[in-house]
Amino acid sequence: MINLDGRILNESEAKLSVENRGYHYGDALFETMRAINGIVFWEDHYFRLMASMRILKMEIPMEFSPEFLEKEITNLIQANGLTGKPTKIKLNIHRKGAGLYKPESREIGYLIRAWELDSSFYILNGENYNVELFKDHFVNSGLLSTLKTNNKIIHVLGSIYAEENGYSNCLLLNETKSVTEALNGNLFLVQGNTIKTPPLSDGCLNGIIRKKVLEILRKLPEYLVKEAAISPFELQKADELFVTNTISGIQPISSYRKKNFENKIARDLLGKLNAVARLG
């Protein structure tokens, strides 16, 4: 079952217009969430969604309150028999109507889907997880790259490259050749007691788990936390590298080229992240 503009339908009944601007122009964005007895970090997801819609000059419906959208998601979870079960939620927002690059309307439509997840908590994946730089195309630094828009062709091509070459993931570069993020999340680099992650100004995603991990780290006096550009040359000097996203939480990187990494800090942070997620 899916939720299309407030109607709970079977997927076979759902119809999107051939004029859909998300399809034609990528005039759309999405929010991926995790739920179990409530949406994890819902307030953060909601305010990121609202900010993104304003940046893209979409007309936010009057009824789009936190309570309204939370209820829409909860109704879909119930319709799929997933109440009380770990669930992945994807909320897509697209601008309605026809037009060319200039839209005829700024009104929006939405689509919500739900899938059951394997675990109620974030679990450390300690299996081999090797990465490489994807250098065929670059992420543009700046505000638009921080949003979860449908313009993800670089991530698609990077995923194909990773699959074709036997990598678990790829790291993306921006136009200044700084490492911005992984294909599916934000990057953190640990060297000694210093933990770095690229700044939003470098074009990385404004990730919810990135935000939560930074909040956790800034309460731990033993670490020096920096939002600073990461050079590709720093990767092989690191003690640890890990990727953060809403679904997996924290994914340690086990190797990059000939360098193998620890996962001690990633393991410790994952426990703290689970505690914050339960409290939230």
Side-chain angles (χ1 to χ4, degrees):
M1 306 293 284
I2 60 98
N3 182 325
L4 179 61
D5 293 330
R7 296 176 294 147
I8 304 293
L9 304 169
N10 288 313
E11 285 194 25
S12 59
E13 298 177 290
K15 299 290 188 295
L16 290 175
S17 169
V18 295
E19 297 288 350
N20 185 277
R21 295 184 59 82
Y23 173 77
H24 284 283
Y25 305 113
D27 192 0
L29 55 85
F30 64 97
E31 194 74 22
T32 306
M33 296 163 275
R34 175 183 262 267
I36 176 151
N37 297 319
I39 304 165
V40 179
F41 305 133
W42 168 236
E43 185 175 284
D44 294 281
H45 282 290
Y46 175 78
F47 285 114
R48 181 174 71 172
L49 178 65
M50 294 300 105
S52 298
M53 292 176 70
R54 290 189 185 98
I55 291 167
L56 296 182
K57 300 188 183 300
M58 292 177 169
E59 187 174 299
I60 301 174
M62 290 293 293
E63 68 269 19
F64 261 38
S65 66
E67 296 77 16
F68 171 82
L69 283 178
E70 187 174 23
K71 184 64 175 174
E72 290 288 280
I73 293 168
T74 301
N75 287 343
L76 181 63
I77 290 172
Q78 292 173 346
N80 282 287
L82 296 174
T83 301
K85 297 179 180 180
T87 305
K88 175 183 176 179
I89 302 295
K90 187 174 182 184
L91 167 60
N92 287 76
I93 305 283
H94 57 269
R95 203 186 317 261
K96 281 185 174 180
L100 300 176
Y101 289 145
K102 184 177 75 174
E104 292 181 357
S105 169
R106 296 191 184 182
E107 294 181 356
I108 60 95
Y110 62 95
L111 170 67
I112 311 173
R113 292 182 291 165
W115 303 266
E116 185 172 0
L117 294 171
D118 292 332
S119 174
S120 300
F121 306 103
Y122 293 123
I123 296 175
L124 190 83
N125 175 13
E127 297 178 1
N128 183 50
Y129 197 88
N130 60 329
V131 303
E132 180 53 270
L133 294 176
F134 180 62
K135 298 183 287 187
D136 291 358
H137 305 281
F138 302 114
V139 173
N140 289 317
S141 59
L143 183 61
L144 287 180
S145 293
T146 69
L147 310 181
K148 296 197 78 168
T149 70
N150 283 24
N151 297 288
K152 294 294 183 183
I153 194 64
I154 294 174
H155 299 72
V156 171
L157 294 174
S159 297
I160 294 170
Y161 174 85
E163 181 182 52
E164 289 179 342
N165 292 278
Y167 298 115
S168 305
N169 205 335
C170 282
L171 305 180
L172 301 177
L173 303 169
N174 66 12
E175 77 280 5
T176 68
K177 308 296 177 64
S178 292
V179 183
T180 57
E181 61 188 3
L183 294 171
N184 64 339
N186 293 103
L187 176 69
F188 283 78
L189 180 151
V190 181
Q191 187 171 14
N193 71 334
T194 299
I195 302 180
K196 291 176 64 175
T197 192
L200 298 182
S201 57
D202 272 8
C204 69
L205 176 70
N206 185 12
I208 299 301
I209 303 302
R210 174 188 183 273
K211 175 184 175 183
K212 293 301 177 184
V213 168
L214 284 172
E215 289 174 358
I216 292 168
L217 286 170
R218 285 175 176 139
K219 295 177 182 177
L220 303 175
E222 61 266 37
Y223 298 121
L224 174 63
V225 183
K226 294 182 178 180
E227 293 183 64
I230 294 177
S231 161
F233 300 107
E234 294 180 67
L235 298 176
Q236 289 181 294
K237 297 178 182 179
D239 300 317
E240 289 189 40
L241 297 173
F242 57 86
V243 177
T244 63
N245 67 43
T246 293
I247 301 305
S248 62
I250 297 174
Q251 171 60 59
I253 292 172
S254 60
S255 62
Y256 167 69
R257 298 186 178 175
K258 295 182 179 180
K259 177 67 181 286
N260 295 319
F261 302 102
E262 305 170 353
N263 64 17
K264 179 182 176 181
I265 291 176
R267 185 182 298 274
D268 179 59
L269 287 173
L270 192 66
K272 291 178 169 58
L273 180 64
N274 273 317
V276 172
R278 288 195 295 272
L279 291 172

